[in-house]
């Protein structure tokens, strides 16, 4: 049986995190409630032994704990994940001349399965930047939290090929409808300012200068199956892993130096000032261990556990998976392997991870793509390459990855969390010696 409290906490995390900016905010608030201190990148840091800290950069979060007598030579045990999910981003200007309905143009953000965005209850969330009454420039998180938009399908009577692999044109077919009563962009800006006023109980922004707004599925996560065997939710890739990493670091006893690195922009290649290809992780580590010799020793003894969801074998499309590496929901964390290092896992790091799992009674599974299909990738290879540390790519088994609703086993999040907690809390980190 799944731990329903644990799953409901995951559901709350997903609902509070419609965008990476909200995810970073939610994770930061949860961590600060358990004694983590927020550090600002533009101020000096004064770190103390036994301290718990976090840093935020544009939808990315790094949190870390340092041992009572901080010994950087022990290295860091690091969990990684990404805060973003594939979705539709609203274009800067609404569509012109579309009466009688008010509509937006959208851009694809990441590799979403576009057909799954049709006929859903969509809402809008993101970040709005503008001027206050006293001329200050401020930025606010905004989330409408209610069904606001729809992208209607074309009726089958008007499209007899609807069930025969019809292509979807993101420019023309995916323009969400917001309203029949909003007339123009000025009306819409007033609605946005009003929403900010409702959320912040004041009127911080008088005129809007910039916005990063995204459509999201606002139907809540749910248990699924006659015995609640599954979870159906938006953004399981990769808020599930963020939730697991956050829970593990909140619960850890801080014997070791522990860290999580949750980065934005994985779904669009990680190349941004806050993504896994940025200097966010290396700059943070340089400030924690400022001596370059000590830092080199610290990194050489660090390990990166990269968490991102893994493809479960699809019951209707079994031929799409390698038949010798079946992945089943609720059967434990999946180690992801790829000879071209699209995943950073290898035999030695897999051995370490399997040892950790066996010590807490959790089974593992091994994923490898069919050799005649191209393999996806994630933050593991990017972060281990840029920091020069060893690591492994692991994740919870998932169906329908990048659909607006993804499915995982209801026990999979807690199984992954058992191992993540043990990764942080094990007295010493296992060291592999040569035969
Ligand atoms: Co992912």
């Amino acid at each position: 049986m799944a731990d329903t409290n644990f799953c409901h906490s995951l559901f709350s995390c997903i609902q509070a995190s419609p965008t990476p900016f909200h995810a970073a905010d939610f994770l930061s608030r949860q961590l600060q409630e358990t004694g983590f201190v927020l550090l600002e990148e533009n101020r000096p840091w004064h770190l103390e032994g036994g301290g718990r800290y976090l840093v935020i950069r544009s939808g990315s979060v790094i949190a870390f704990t340092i041992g009572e007598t901080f010994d950087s030579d022990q290295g860091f045990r690091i969990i990684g994940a990404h805060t973003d999910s594939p979705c539709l981003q609203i274009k800067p200007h609404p569509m012109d001349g579309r009466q009688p309905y008010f509509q937006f143009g959208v851009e694809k953000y990441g590799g979403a399965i576009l057909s799954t965005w049709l006929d859903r209850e969509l809402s809008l969330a993101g970040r709005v930047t503008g001027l206050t009454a006293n001329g200050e420039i401020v930025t606010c998180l905004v989330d409408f939290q209610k069904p606001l938009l729809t992208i209607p399908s074309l009726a089958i009577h008007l499209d007899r090929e609807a069930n025969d692999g019809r292509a979807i044109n993101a420019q023309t077919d995916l323009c969400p409808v917001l309203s029949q009563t909003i007339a123009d962009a000025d009306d819409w800006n007033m609605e946005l300012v009003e929403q900010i006023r409702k959320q912040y109980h004041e009127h911080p922004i008088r005129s809007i200068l910039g916005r990063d707004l995204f459509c999201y599925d606002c139907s809540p996560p749910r248990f699924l199956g006659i015995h609640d065997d599954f979870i159906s939710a938006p953004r399981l890739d990769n808020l599930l892993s963020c939730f697991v990493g956050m829970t593990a670091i909140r619960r850890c006893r801080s014997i070791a130096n522990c860290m999580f690195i949750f980065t934005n922009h994985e779904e669009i290649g990680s190349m941004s000032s806050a993504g896994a290809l940025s200097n966010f992780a290396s700059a943070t580590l340089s400030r924690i261990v400022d001596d370059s010799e000590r830092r080199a020793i610290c990194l050489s003894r660090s390990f990166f556990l990269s968490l991102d969801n893994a493809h479960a074998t699809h019951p209707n499309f079994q031929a799409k998976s390698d038949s010798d590496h079946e992945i089943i929901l609720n059967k434990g964390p999946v180690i992801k392997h790829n000879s071209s290092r699209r995943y950073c896992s290898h035999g030695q790091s897999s051995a370490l991870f399997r040892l950790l799992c066996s010590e807490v009674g959790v089974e593992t599974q091994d994923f490898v793509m069919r050799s005649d299909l191209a393999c996806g990738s994630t933050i593991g290879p990017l972060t281990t390459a840029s920091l020069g540390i060893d690591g492994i790519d692991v994740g919870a088994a998932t169906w329908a990855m990048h659909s607006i609703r993804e499915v995982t086993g209801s026990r999979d999040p807690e199984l992954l969390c058992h191992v993540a907690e043990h990764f942080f809390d094990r007295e010493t980190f296992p060291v592999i010696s040569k035969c």
Side-chain angles (χ1 to χ4, degrees):
M1 275 297 289
D3 178 341
T4 35
N5 284 340
F6 187 81
C7 291
H8 279 294
S9 300
L10 166 64
F11 295 174
S12 304
C13 170
I14 291 171
Q15 285 203 275
S17 307
T19 75
F21 309 121
H22 291 82
D25 184 62
F26 175 81
L27 296 168
S28 141
R29 281 186 284 114
Q30 295 277 304
L31 289 168
Q32 288 183 74
E33 274 173 23
T34 38
F36 281 76
V37 175
L38 180 64
L39 300 169
E40 304 285 349
E41 285 200 278
N42 60 4
R43 298 234 165 86
W45 293 0
H46 304 289
L47 308 179
E48 287 171 6
R52 297 151 81 84
Y53 302 96
L54 78 137
V55 203
I56 299 179
R57 191 193 280 190
S58 200
S60 298
V61 189
I62 295 179
F64 57 94
T65 67
I66 49 184
E68 204 60 51
T69 48
F70 178 41
D71 176 9
S72 64
D73 289 6
Q74 284 183 19
F76 272 90
R77 303 178 193 178
I78 310 172
I79 289 182
H82 63 88
T83 53
D84 62 327
S85 304
C87 64
L88 303 177
Q89 182 164 6
I90 299 289
K91 289 188 174 181
H93 299 169
M95 296 182 86
D96 200 17
R98 278 291 185 123
Q99 295 301 338
Y101 304 107
F102 185 82
Q103 284 177 269
F104 296 111
V106 294
E107 286 183 281
K108 288 186 282 182
Y109 177 92
I113 304 177
L114 297 178
S115 59
T116 63
W117 286 74
L118 303 173
D119 310 318
R120 295 282 172 172
E121 293 161 5
L122 303 176
S123 193
L124 266 186
R127 199 171 59 171
V128 174
T129 307
L131 287 178
T132 65
N134 1 334
E136 267 180 293
I137 186 157
V138 295
T139 197
C140 299
L141 295 184
V142 63
D143 178 8
F144 282 85
Q145 289 188 326
K146 68 164 202 168
L148 207 66
L149 300 161
T150 184
I151 309 170
S153 294
L154 182 58
I156 196 159
H157 317 81
L158 307 177
D159 179 16
R160 297 289 175 189
E161 272 84 58
N163 292 330
D164 299 317
R166 184 176 166 279
I168 294 178
N169 181 323
Q171 175 66 21
T172 56
D173 303 351
L174 286 181
C175 308
V177 177
L178 175 78
S179 168
Q180 201 168 8
T181 42
I182 285 182
D184 54 25
D186 290 342
D187 271 10
W188 163 235
N189 280 343
M190 278 166 55
E191 293 287 344
L192 205 46
V193 167
E194 174 59 16
Q195 176 63 26
I196 294 165
R197 191 194 60 74
K198 268 192 222 155
Q199 280 180 235
Y200 293 89
H201 309 295
E202 55 189 57
H203 210 270
I205 289 184
R206 198 182 53 177
S207 58
I208 295 171
L209 297 174
R211 64 197 87 200
D212 307 286
L213 292 175
F214 303 86
C215 303
Y216 73 93
D217 173 21
C218 62
S219 307
R222 290 183 202 284
F223 284 107
L224 183 79
I226 194 155
H227 294 132
D228 293 347
D229 292 328
F230 313 115
I231 288 169
S232 159
R235 306 182 293 286
L236 282 172
D237 172 14
N238 192 12
L239 293 175
L240 186 162
S241 305
C242 291
F243 177 73
V244 163
M246 176 195 68
T247 305
I249 206 164
R250 281 176 87 191
R251 290 178 178 171
C252 85
R253 293 176 292 149
S254 303
I255 303 163
N257 305 318
C258 300
M259 177 178 277
F260 74 56
I261 303 173
F262 294 167
T263 47
N264 196 353
H265 300 137
E266 189 270 347
E267 300 293 357
I268 52 167
S270 294
M271 178 60 89
S272 71
S273 63
L277 287 172
S278 75
N279 74 341
F280 190 31
S282 58
T284 303
L285 278 157
S286 308
R287 293 177 78 166
I288 301 170
V289 188
D290 56 3
D291 178 81
S292 59
E293 177 85 357
R294 292 256 78 85
R295 190 165 60 252
I297 295 168
C298 174
L299 287 173
S300 75
R301 294 186 181 156
S302 296
F303 189 88
F304 190 62
L305 174 58
S306 163
L307 301 184
D308 199 355
N309 296 10
H311 299 295
T313 304
H314 194 300
N316 299 343
F317 297 91
Q318 297 200 5
K320 289 285 182 187
S321 299
D322 186 303
S323 56
D324 298 316
H325 298 85
E326 191 179 15
I327 303 298
I328 302 170
L329 301 183
N330 290 314
K331 287 283 183 196
V334 179
I335 303 173
K336 301 188 250 181
H337 306 267
N338 179 254
S339 67
S340 302
R341 291 295 180 95
R342 304 279 291 162
Y343 301 126
C344 67
S345 321
H346 52 80
Q348 289 177 344
S349 59
S350 306
L352 288 174
F353 184 74
R354 279 196 198 98
L355 174 67
L356 294 176
C357 289
S358 68
E359 287 172 345
V360 287
V362 170
E363 283 180 75
T364 58
Q365 311 186 71
D366 290 287
F367 173 84
V368 60
M369 276 304 268
R370 281 183 62 103
S371 305
D372 49 8
L373 288 177
C375 185
S377 189
T378 178
I379 50 163
L382 308 180
T383 306
T384 53
S386 66
L387 294 180
I389 61 176
D390 204 2
I392 186 166
D393 272 302
V394 168
T398 305
W399 284 329
M401 199 181 292
H402 292 195
S403 166
I404 199 168
R405 300 292 289 194
E406 297 167 323
V407 172
T408 190
S410 51
R411 293 209 62 218
D412 285 317
E414 73 196 64
L415 290 172
L416 193 58
C417 200
H418 285 324
V419 187
E421 283 179 46
H422 184 51
F423 172 68
F424 281 156
D425 266 347
R426 195 183 196 270
E427 212 71 32
T428 56
F429 195 71
V431 178
I432 299 178
S433 46
K434 286 194 184 128
C435 296

